[in-house]
Amino acid sequence: MNRRGVLKGLGAAAAAAVWPGWLSEAFAGAPCGVLKGAATLSAAIKRAHDALQPLLILVVPKDDGEKWDRGRHFGEWLNFGADRDLAPLACAQVVCSEMRAVCQLFPSAPADAEPAAFIAQVDRAPARIGIALDSFLPHEASRLSEAVDHEGLDHLTEAERQAFWEGRYERQQLLEDASIQPCIDRTGEAIRRAVLGDLASLRRLADARWERMTASDRDMTRRLLGGGSGSALDVVMAAPMLAVAAAERGGAEEDRLTKVLADAARAQFGEQRIPGSKWARASGCGEFVEGEEEQIGIACGMGHVPRKSQRFLYFFTRSPYLGGE
């Protein structure tokens, strides 16, 4: 089993030779521009189809301003979601895609909307797609209301003033964290429900995966279920069985297996790029795309970004600051 996907590195034309029949039909007579734009999504569909996994599609908005906002919401969830919120991602393929590509490959997708995320079942024809997350919960206002007594600060020692400002900064960060967390929790709950469904559906997925496994993969699954360790790819291979066991066993075993799944999901989608996007960081004075030599930044020292929003999904091919999308 090639657990990294047989389409890695292939272009759309080469990938078309191994697409499922319904996917090939979706491309029949498509304009070249649409075909090129949908190549990343089609490759993810193929990976999900081959692995008997649902496909989570994070929607890249058309508006450039929305790209920044939505990318930060996704980053907050992927970087700071709890184990139970991220564990389901080990059971799925994840891709970022614009709506024009989604509509090209899933004609039933709503063409007049840009929900935050879709969940697609592509194991058999016809493929099914539904909204996993319609939108994000807005962050509440998170500025400190307490006034600063600057005259009083003048009577403090330098060390006391430094301690005051450090304490104030920490209180500001805690307030920002509290304003962002409800959105992370809501996102995690919605996507967990969309990916895993009910226990009966999860058992069917686990049974289907088990039937396709090699003897060595089954042995690895048994070791993971028994408390042994494995790589992130081993966990992903066994993810449906681990998720079922977590739900059935409960208690400490549920916590252990949930953490195993969540750690694998973080390795797959937090430490690596999600197809269709890049990871970037912002401190308030520019954006820095991970793995890119050409960066956008101004060493002004005046900007501020909440700490849970500093690492985010970057949806641009080129920065708009550098002359194009």
Side-chain angles (χ1 to χ4, degrees), residues 189-214:
E189 179 183 2
I191 291 181
R192 180 171 68 248
R193 185 170 57 249
V195 171
L196 297 183
D198 57 27
L199 185 56
S201 299
L202 190 56
R203 285 196 185 108
R204 286 193 294 271
L205 179 61
D207 290 343
R209 176 70 66 83
W210 183 263
E211 289 300 316
R212 286 197 183 184
M213 281 184 174
T214 64

PDB file of all heavy atoms in Angstrom, residues 189-214:
ATOM      1  N   GLU A 189     -16.346  20.772  16.550  1.00  0.00           N
ATOM      2  CA  GLU A 189     -17.554  19.959  16.725  1.00  0.00           C
ATOM      3  C   GLU A 189     -18.229  19.682  15.390  1.00  0.00           C
ATOM      4  O   GLU A 189     -18.638  18.546  15.106  1.00  0.00           O
ATOM      5  CB  GLU A 189     -18.522  20.668  17.666  1.00  0.00           C
ATOM      6  CG  GLU A 189     -19.811  19.900  17.894  1.00  0.00           C
ATOM      7  CD  GLU A 189     -20.789  20.646  18.780  1.00  0.00           C
ATOM      8  OE1 GLU A 189     -20.477  21.782  19.185  1.00  0.00           O
ATOM      9  OE2 GLU A 189     -21.878  20.101  19.047  1.00  0.00           O
ATOM     10  N   ALA A 190     -18.355  20.707  14.543  1.00  0.00           N
ATOM     11  CA  ALA A 190     -19.030  20.538  13.264  1.00  0.00           C
ATOM     12  C   ALA A 190     -18.270  19.589  12.347  1.00  0.00           C
ATOM     13  O   ALA A 190     -18.866  18.702  11.703  1.00  0.00           O
ATOM     14  CB  ALA A 190     -19.206  21.898  12.583  1.00  0.00           C
ATOM     15  N   ILE A 191     -16.971  19.732  12.277  1.00  0.00           N
ATOM     16  CA  ILE A 191     -16.187  18.886  11.378  1.00  0.00           C
ATOM     17  C   ILE A 191     -16.054  17.475  11.937  1.00  0.00           C
ATOM     18  O   ILE A 191     -16.050  16.494  11.179  1.00  0.00           O
ATOM     19  CB  ILE A 191     -14.826  19.543  11.092  1.00  0.00           C
ATOM     20  CG1 ILE A 191     -15.083  20.799  10.243  1.00  0.00           C
ATOM     21  CG2 ILE A 191     -13.877  18.581  10.391  1.00  0.00           C
ATOM     22  CD1 ILE A 191     -13.861  21.571   9.844  1.00  0.00           C
ATOM     23  N   ARG A 192     -15.985  17.330  13.243  1.00  0.00           N
ATOM     24  CA  ARG A 192     -15.984  15.996  13.850  1.00  0.00           C
ATOM     25  C   ARG A 192     -17.249  15.236  13.486  1.00  0.00           C
ATOM     26  O   ARG A 192     -17.207  14.056  13.094  1.00  0.00           O
ATOM     27  CB  ARG A 192     -15.857  16.131  15.375  1.00  0.00           C
ATOM     28  CG  ARG A 192     -15.843  14.800  16.115  1.00  0.00           C
ATOM     29  CD  ARG A 192     -15.508  14.995  17.576  1.00  0.00           C
ATOM     30  NE  ARG A 192     -16.560  15.695  18.307  1.00  0.00           N
ATOM     31  CZ  ARG A 192     -16.441  16.908  18.802  1.00  0.00           C
ATOM     32  NH1 ARG A 192     -15.344  17.607  18.617  1.00  0.00           N
ATOM     33  NH2 ARG A 192     -17.445  17.463  19.477  1.00  0.00           N
ATOM     34  N   ARG A 193     -18.372  15.899  13.580  1.00  0.00           N
ATOM     35  CA  ARG A 193     -19.648  15.271  13.250  1.00  0.00           C
ATOM     36  C   ARG A 193     -19.721  14.920  11.759  1.00  0.00           C
ATOM     37  O   ARG A 193     -20.203  13.856  11.374  1.00  0.00           O
ATOM     38  CB  ARG A 193     -20.784  16.217  13.636  1.00  0.00           C
ATOM     39  CG  ARG A 193     -22.179  15.634  13.464  1.00  0.00           C
ATOM     40  CD  ARG A 193     -23.227  16.522  14.099  1.00  0.00           C
ATOM     41  NE  ARG A 193     -23.205  17.874  13.572  1.00  0.00           N
ATOM     42  CZ  ARG A 193     -22.820  18.951  14.264  1.00  0.00           C
ATOM     43  NH1 ARG A 193     -22.411  18.820  15.503  1.00  0.00           N
ATOM     44  NH2 ARG A 193     -22.842  20.150  13.714  1.00  0.00           N
ATOM     45  N   ALA A 194     -19.196  15.803  10.913  1.00  0.00           N
ATOM     46  CA  ALA A 194     -19.259  15.574   9.469  1.00  0.00           C
ATOM     47  C   ALA A 194     -18.354  14.428   9.039  1.00  0.00           C
ATOM     48  O   ALA A 194     -18.732  13.607   8.186  1.00  0.00           O
ATOM     49  CB  ALA A 194     -18.882  16.853   8.728  1.00  0.00           C
ATOM     50  N   VAL A 195     -17.157  14.355   9.594  1.00  0.00           N
ATOM     51  CA  VAL A 195     -16.195  13.328   9.174  1.00  0.00           C
ATOM     52  C   VAL A 195     -16.555  11.956   9.715  1.00  0.00           C
ATOM     53  O   VAL A 195     -16.552  10.954   8.981  1.00  0.00           O
ATOM     54  CB  VAL A 195     -14.764  13.720   9.611  1.00  0.00           C
ATOM     55  CG1 VAL A 195     -13.801  12.563   9.374  1.00  0.00           C
ATOM     56  CG2 VAL A 195     -14.297  14.946   8.844  1.00  0.00           C
ATOM     57  N   LEU A 196     -16.883  11.872  11.005  1.00  0.00           N
ATOM     58  CA  LEU A 196     -17.105  10.571  11.630  1.00  0.00           C
ATOM     59  C   LEU A 196     -18.528  10.065  11.501  1.00  0.00           C
ATOM     60  O   LEU A 196     -18.759   8.857  11.490  1.00  0.00           O
ATOM     61  CB  LEU A 196     -16.714  10.636  13.113  1.00  0.00           C
ATOM     62  CG  LEU A 196     -15.239  10.924  13.413  1.00  0.00           C
ATOM     63  CD1 LEU A 196     -15.004  10.889  14.910  1.00  0.00           C
ATOM     64  CD2 LEU A 196     -14.326   9.945  12.695  1.00  0.00           C
ATOM     65  N   GLY A 197     -19.504  10.967  11.398  1.00  0.00           N
ATOM     66  CA  GLY A 197     -20.890  10.522  11.332  1.00  0.00           C
ATOM     67  C   GLY A 197     -21.283   9.794  12.609  1.00  0.00           C
ATOM     68  O   GLY A 197     -20.761  10.062  13.694  1.00  0.00           O
ATOM     69  N   ASP A 198     -22.175   8.811  12.485  1.00  0.00           N
ATOM     70  CA  ASP A 198     -22.564   8.024  13.660  1.00  0.00           C
ATOM     71  C   ASP A 198     -21.680   6.777  13.763  1.00  0.00           C
ATOM     72  O   ASP A 198     -20.898   6.457  12.869  1.00  0.00           O
ATOM     73  CB  ASP A 198     -24.045   7.653  13.616  1.00  0.00           C
ATOM     74  CG  ASP A 198     -24.423   6.897  12.351  1.00  0.00           C
ATOM     75  OD1 ASP A 198     -23.547   6.223  11.765  1.00  0.00           O
ATOM     76  OD2 ASP A 198     -25.585   6.990  11.926  1.00  0.00           O
ATOM     77  N   LEU A 199     -21.815   6.063  14.872  1.00  0.00           N
ATOM     78  CA  LEU A 199     -20.949   4.914  15.129  1.00  0.00           C
ATOM     79  C   LEU A 199     -21.176   3.814  14.103  1.00  0.00           C
ATOM     80  O   LEU A 199     -20.218   3.132  13.695  1.00  0.00           O
ATOM     81  CB  LEU A 199     -21.195   4.387  16.549  1.00  0.00           C
ATOM     82  CG  LEU A 199     -20.280   3.245  17.013  1.00  0.00           C
ATOM     83  CD1 LEU A 199     -18.814   3.651  16.902  1.00  0.00           C
ATOM     84  CD2 LEU A 199     -20.623   2.855  18.452  1.00  0.00           C
ATOM     85  N   ALA A 200     -22.412   3.627  13.662  1.00  0.00           N
ATOM     86  CA  ALA A 200     -22.686   2.582  12.672  1.00  0.00           C
ATOM     87  C   ALA A 200     -21.948   2.871  11.365  1.00  0.00           C
ATOM     88  O   ALA A 200     -21.369   1.962  10.752  1.00  0.00           O
ATOM     89  CB  ALA A 200     -24.196   2.479  12.425  1.00  0.00           C
ATOM     90  N   SER A 201     -21.959   4.120  10.926  1.00  0.00           N
ATOM     91  CA  SER A 201     -21.249   4.491   9.700  1.00  0.00           C
ATOM     92  C   SER A 201     -19.751   4.300   9.868  1.00  0.00           C
ATOM     93  O   SER A 201     -19.060   3.835   8.944  1.00  0.00           O
ATOM     94  CB  SER A 201     -21.550   5.951   9.344  1.00  0.00           C
ATOM     95  OG  SER A 201     -22.925   6.152   9.120  1.00  0.00           O
ATOM     96  N   LEU A 202     -19.246   4.653  11.051  1.00  0.00           N
ATOM     97  CA  LEU A 202     -17.818   4.508  11.307  1.00  0.00           C
ATOM     98  C   LEU A 202     -17.423   3.035  11.309  1.00  0.00           C
ATOM     99  O   LEU A 202     -16.349   2.666  10.795  1.00  0.00           O
ATOM    100  CB  LEU A 202     -17.478   5.161  12.643  1.00  0.00           C
ATOM    101  CG  LEU A 202     -15.996   5.315  12.991  1.00  0.00           C
ATOM    102  CD1 LEU A 202     -15.268   6.095  11.907  1.00  0.00           C
ATOM    103  CD2 LEU A 202     -15.850   6.004  14.341  1.00  0.00           C
ATOM    104  N   ARG A 203     -18.267   2.166  11.852  1.00  0.00           N
ATOM    105  CA  ARG A 203     -17.980   0.724  11.841  1.00  0.00           C
ATOM    106  C   ARG A 203     -17.935   0.191  10.414  1.00  0.00           C
ATOM    107  O   ARG A 203     -17.083  -0.644  10.087  1.00  0.00           O
ATOM    108  CB  ARG A 203     -19.042  -0.025  12.650  1.00  0.00           C
ATOM    109  CG  ARG A 203     -18.911   0.104  14.151  1.00  0.00           C
ATOM    110  CD  ARG A 203     -19.729  -0.967  14.848  1.00  0.00           C
ATOM    111  NE  ARG A 203     -19.725  -0.818  16.293  1.00  0.00           N
ATOM    112  CZ  ARG A 203     -20.756  -0.404  17.027  1.00  0.00           C
ATOM    113  NH1 ARG A 203     -21.900  -0.078  16.426  1.00  0.00           N
ATOM    114  NH2 ARG A 203     -20.664  -0.306  18.336  1.00  0.00           N
ATOM    115  N   ARG A 204     -18.855   0.643   9.566  1.00  0.00           N
ATOM    116  CA  ARG A 204     -18.848   0.178   8.168  1.00  0.00           C
ATOM    117  C   ARG A 204     -17.553   0.596   7.478  1.00  0.00           C
ATOM    118  O   ARG A 204     -16.973  -0.180   6.700  1.00  0.00           O
ATOM    119  CB  ARG A 204     -20.066   0.736   7.425  1.00  0.00           C
ATOM    120  CG  ARG A 204     -21.380   0.075   7.790  1.00  0.00           C
ATOM    121  CD  ARG A 204     -22.482   0.428   6.819  1.00  0.00           C
ATOM    122  NE  ARG A 204     -22.838   1.837   6.874  1.00  0.00           N
ATOM    123  CZ  ARG A 204     -23.749   2.345   7.688  1.00  0.00           C
ATOM    124  NH1 ARG A 204     -24.408   1.551   8.532  1.00  0.00           N
ATOM    125  NH2 ARG A 204     -24.032   3.636   7.674  1.00  0.00           N
ATOM    126  N   LEU A 205     -17.103   1.821   7.735  1.00  0.00           N
ATOM    127  CA  LEU A 205     -15.849   2.291   7.152  1.00  0.00           C
ATOM    128  C   LEU A 205     -14.678   1.457   7.659  1.00  0.00           C
ATOM    129  O   LEU A 205     -13.794   1.064   6.885  1.00  0.00           O
ATOM    130  CB  LEU A 205     -15.639   3.760   7.513  1.00  0.00           C
ATOM    131  CG  LEU A 205     -14.352   4.417   7.013  1.00  0.00           C
ATOM    132  CD1 LEU A 205     -14.292   4.397   5.494  1.00  0.00           C
ATOM    133  CD2 LEU A 205     -14.244   5.847   7.521  1.00  0.00           C
ATOM    134  N   ALA A 206     -14.677   1.149   8.955  1.00  0.00           N
ATOM    135  CA  ALA A 206     -13.606   0.334   9.525  1.00  0.00           C
ATOM    136  C   ALA A 206     -13.602  -1.070   8.936  1.00  0.00           C
ATOM    137  O   ALA A 206     -12.550  -1.629   8.615  1.00  0.00           O
ATOM    138  CB  ALA A 206     -13.753   0.280  11.050  1.00  0.00           C
ATOM    139  N   ASP A 207     -14.786  -1.661   8.776  1.00  0.00           N
ATOM    140  CA  ASP A 207     -14.874  -3.008   8.203  1.00  0.00           C
ATOM    141  C   ASP A 207     -14.355  -3.029   6.769  1.00  0.00           C
ATOM    142  O   ASP A 207     -13.638  -3.961   6.370  1.00  0.00           O
ATOM    143  CB  ASP A 207     -16.324  -3.499   8.231  1.00  0.00           C
ATOM    144  CG  ASP A 207     -16.808  -3.791   9.647  1.00  0.00           C
ATOM    145  OD1 ASP A 207     -15.956  -3.920  10.552  1.00  0.00           O
ATOM    146  OD2 ASP A 207     -18.037  -3.875   9.847  1.00  0.00           O
ATOM    147  N   ALA A 208     -14.721  -2.009   5.994  1.00  0.00           N
ATOM    148  CA  ALA A 208     -14.267  -1.951   4.604  1.00  0.00           C
ATOM    149  C   ALA A 208     -12.755  -1.787   4.533  1.00  0.00           C
ATOM    150  O   ALA A 208     -12.086  -2.412   3.692  1.00  0.00           O
ATOM    151  CB  ALA A 208     -14.963  -0.805   3.873  1.00  0.00           C
ATOM    152  N   ARG A 209     -12.186  -0.970   5.410  1.00  0.00           N
ATOM    153  CA  ARG A 209     -10.741  -0.783   5.421  1.00  0.00           C
ATOM    154  C   ARG A 209     -10.034  -2.073   5.833  1.00  0.00           C
ATOM    155  O   ARG A 209      -9.010  -2.444   5.264  1.00  0.00           O
ATOM    156  CB  ARG A 209     -10.380   0.353   6.376  1.00  0.00           C
ATOM    157  CG  ARG A 209      -8.885   0.588   6.560  1.00  0.00           C
ATOM    158  CD  ARG A 209      -8.216   1.159   5.325  1.00  0.00           C
ATOM    159  NE  ARG A 209      -8.695   2.491   5.062  1.00  0.00           N
ATOM    160  CZ  ARG A 209      -8.219   3.589   5.656  1.00  0.00           C
ATOM    161  NH1 ARG A 209      -7.251   3.495   6.543  1.00  0.00           N
ATOM    162  NH2 ARG A 209      -8.697   4.778   5.333  1.00  0.00           N
ATOM    163  N   TRP A 210     -10.573  -2.742   6.847  1.00  0.00           N
ATOM    164  CA  TRP A 210      -9.970  -3.988   7.319  1.00  0.00           C
ATOM    165  C   TRP A 210      -9.911  -5.023   6.200  1.00  0.00           C
ATOM    166  O   TRP A 210      -8.903  -5.746   6.069  1.00  0.00           O
ATOM    167  CB  TRP A 210     -10.762  -4.518   8.506  1.00  0.00           C
ATOM    168  CG  TRP A 210     -10.183  -5.755   9.122  1.00  0.00           C
ATOM    169  CD1 TRP A 210     -10.551  -7.048   8.886  1.00  0.00           C
ATOM    170  CD2 TRP A 210      -9.132  -5.814  10.091  1.00  0.00           C
ATOM    171  NE1 TRP A 210      -9.795  -7.912   9.629  1.00  0.00           N
ATOM    172  CE2 TRP A 210      -8.914  -7.182  10.383  1.00  0.00           C
ATOM    173  CE3 TRP A 210      -8.356  -4.849  10.733  1.00  0.00           C
ATOM    174  CZ2 TRP A 210      -7.946  -7.611  11.292  1.00  0.00           C
ATOM    175  CZ3 TRP A 210      -7.395  -5.274  11.629  1.00  0.00           C
ATOM    176  CH2 TRP A 210      -7.194  -6.643  11.909  1.00  0.00           C
ATOM    177  N   GLU A 211     -10.949  -5.119   5.398  1.00  0.00           N
ATOM    178  CA  GLU A 211     -10.980  -6.093   4.316  1.00  0.00           C
ATOM    179  C   GLU A 211      -9.888  -5.847   3.287  1.00  0.00           C
ATOM    180  O   GLU A 211      -9.408  -6.782   2.630  1.00  0.00           O
ATOM    181  CB  GLU A 211     -12.350  -6.069   3.628  1.00  0.00           C
ATOM    182  CG  GLU A 211     -13.479  -6.643   4.457  1.00  0.00           C
ATOM    183  CD  GLU A 211     -13.227  -8.101   4.821  1.00  0.00           C
ATOM    184  OE1 GLU A 211     -12.793  -8.872   3.941  1.00  0.00           O
ATOM    185  OE2 GLU A 211     -13.446  -8.459   5.999  1.00  0.00           O
ATOM    186  N   ARG A 212      -9.460  -4.609   3.133  1.00  0.00           N
ATOM    187  CA  ARG A 212      -8.444  -4.273   2.141  1.00  0.00           C
ATOM    188  C   ARG A 212      -7.017  -4.359   2.681  1.00  0.00           C
ATOM    189  O   ARG A 212      -6.063  -4.232   1.923  1.00  0.00           O
ATOM    190  CB  ARG A 212      -8.669  -2.858   1.615  1.00  0.00           C
ATOM    191  CG  ARG A 212      -9.845  -2.721   0.676  1.00  0.00           C
ATOM    192  CD  ARG A 212      -9.711  -1.418  -0.078  1.00  0.00           C
ATOM    193  NE  ARG A 212     -10.830  -1.164  -0.958  1.00  0.00           N
ATOM    194  CZ  ARG A 212     -10.893  -0.113  -1.771  1.00  0.00           C
ATOM    195  NH1 ARG A 212      -9.912   0.759  -1.799  1.00  0.00           N
ATOM    196  NH2 ARG A 212     -11.944   0.066  -2.557  1.00  0.00           N
ATOM    197  N   MET A 213      -6.874  -4.542   3.966  1.00  0.00           N
ATOM    198  CA  MET A 213      -5.553  -4.493   4.581  1.00  0.00           C
ATOM    199  C   MET A 213      -4.733  -5.732   4.269  1.00  0.00           C
ATOM    200  O   MET A 213      -5.255  -6.840   4.124  1.00  0.00           O
ATOM    201  CB  MET A 213      -5.684  -4.356   6.099  1.00  0.00           C
ATOM    202  CG  MET A 213      -6.003  -2.962   6.583  1.00  0.00           C
ATOM    203  SD  MET A 213      -5.998  -2.947   8.381  1.00  0.00           S
ATOM    204  CE  MET A 213      -6.223  -1.208   8.668  1.00  0.00           C
ATOM    205  N   THR A 214      -3.417  -5.536   4.226  1.00  0.00           N
ATOM    206  CA  THR A 214      -2.489  -6.643   4.157  1.00  0.00           C
ATOM    207  C   THR A 214      -2.334  -7.242   5.552  1.00  0.00           C
ATOM    208  O   THR A 214      -2.759  -6.645   6.561  1.00  0.00           O
ATOM    209  CB  THR A 214      -1.117  -6.180   3.654  1.00  0.00           C
ATOM    210  OG1 THR A 214      -0.564  -5.258   4.614  1.00  0.00           O
ATOM    211  CG2 THR A 214      -1.236  -5.478   2.294  1.00  0.00           C
TER     212      THR A 214
END
